[in-house]
Amino acid sequence: MSSISQAALQNLDEPSRKEIMQFIESENSKSKVQMSIHSFTDMCFKKCNAHKPITSGTLDFAEEQCLTNCLNRFLDTNIKVVQALQGAQK
Amino acid sequence: MALFGAPSTSTASSVNSVQSQQLKQQIQDQISQELAVANATELVNKITENCFDKCITNPQISLNPQEDGCVNQCLEKYMRSWNVISKSYITRIQQSNQ
């Protein structure tokens, strides 16, 4: 899998190390956002297509609206839950 | 000593820095590549799950034309949905950062 040798890694100079660490951090947060989008799409696709068969490959206005509402209300709910738990802690 | 020593060490360290640059690029490319594969795999899995659920309610000996068409439409609809969710989510993140 990995073609990078251990010895070569140890010889990496300091600036390169730093750049790699920054690169990993940014790729990591990008990947987290992407994975969230996967789980939201999964959830909202199920919700918005629950009571109807798939009859076209496109999204009509109502379907698009359903998806954005689904996402935004989910995030609202998430914030509410966090706030409620923070309140309960005090 | 300094006369001979200094240039030789600076050459050595600049060679090392070129090697480091190359290695760094190699590592970053590999990371990007693996994340792209992970992202694509996740998309394939989610689409398969959702569209199988939606289109193949009663599995037969093979996919019939109707199921086949449904899967194609479902796949397209799912990817469009992914883009809508992605756009809305990023908008929302940007709003909350302001």
Side-chain angles (χ1 to χ4, degrees):
Chain A
M1 172 79 197
S2 167
S3 56
I4 298 164
S5 77
Q6 278 285 293
L9 280 178
Q10 258 140 27
N11 288 330
L12 262 183
D13 62 13
E14 203 46 37
S16 297
R17 267 174 214 269
K18 260 193 197 137
E19 263 184 81
I20 291 171
M21 290 316 286
Q22 278 169 357
F23 182 79
I24 289 175
E25 214 168 291
S26 84
E27 288 297 290
N28 204 2
S29 49
K30 202 170 83 185
S31 177
K32 271 187 197 159
V33 170
Q34 273 176 343
M35 286 303 153
S36 300
I37 296 171
H38 280 302
S39 99
F40 298 151
T41 306
D42 183 47
M43 178 180 70
C44 293
F45 184 88
K46 283 190 169 81
K47 255 200 204 297
C48 294
N49 291 289
H51 305 297
K52 59 189 192 66
I54 307 284
T55 51
S56 88
T58 56
L59 292 174
D60 61 29
F61 180 75
E63 288 175 312
E64 201 170 318
Q65 192 77 334
C66 179
L67 290 169
T68 46
N69 286 343
C70 167
L71 172 80
N72 281 306
R73 296 302 77 77
F74 179 83
L75 296 174
D76 290 348
T77 309
N78 181 244
I79 292 169
K80 270 229 161 306
V81 169
V82 172
Q83 283 172 343
L85 287 175
Q86 277 174 339
Q89 221 173 25
K90 282 172 194 163
Chain B
M1 190 60 190
L3 228 133
F4 298 103
S8 85
T9 43
S10 90
T11 319
S13 82
S14 77
V15 165
N16 186 29
S17 128
V18 168
Q19 282 174 339
S20 279
Q21 281 293 317
Q22 282 173 344
L23 185 58
K24 187 201 78 192
Q25 199 53 50
Q26 200 187 338
I27 292 171
Q28 292 186 339
D29 290 349
Q30 196 173 328
I31 291 170
S32 301
Q33 171 85 25
E34 281 176 29
L35 287 176
V37 170
N39 192 36
T41 307
E42 186 69 6
L43 187 65
V44 170
N45 288 343
K46 296 283 193 203
I47 293 179
T48 307
E49 233 177 79
N50 276 287
C51 295
F52 180 78
D53 196 41
K54 220 53 206 160
C55 296
I56 292 97
T57 44
N58 186 17
Q60 303 295 317
I61 196 110
S62 69
L63 284 182
N64 64 42
Q66 204 183 350
E67 291 166 334
D68 199 67
C70 177
V71 170
N72 282 332
Q73 289 182 330
C74 177
L75 170 97
E76 205 180 315
K77 197 189 272 286
Y78 195 94
M79 291 198 288
R80 286 177 200 271
S81 302
W82 201 94
N83 286 333
V84 168
I85 294 284
S86 166
K87 237 186 278 173
S88 314
Y89 185 46
I90 287 165
T91 309
R92 178 111 182 197
I93 291 172
Q94 282 166 346
Q95 279 169 354
S96 70
N97 281 345
Q98 274 164 11

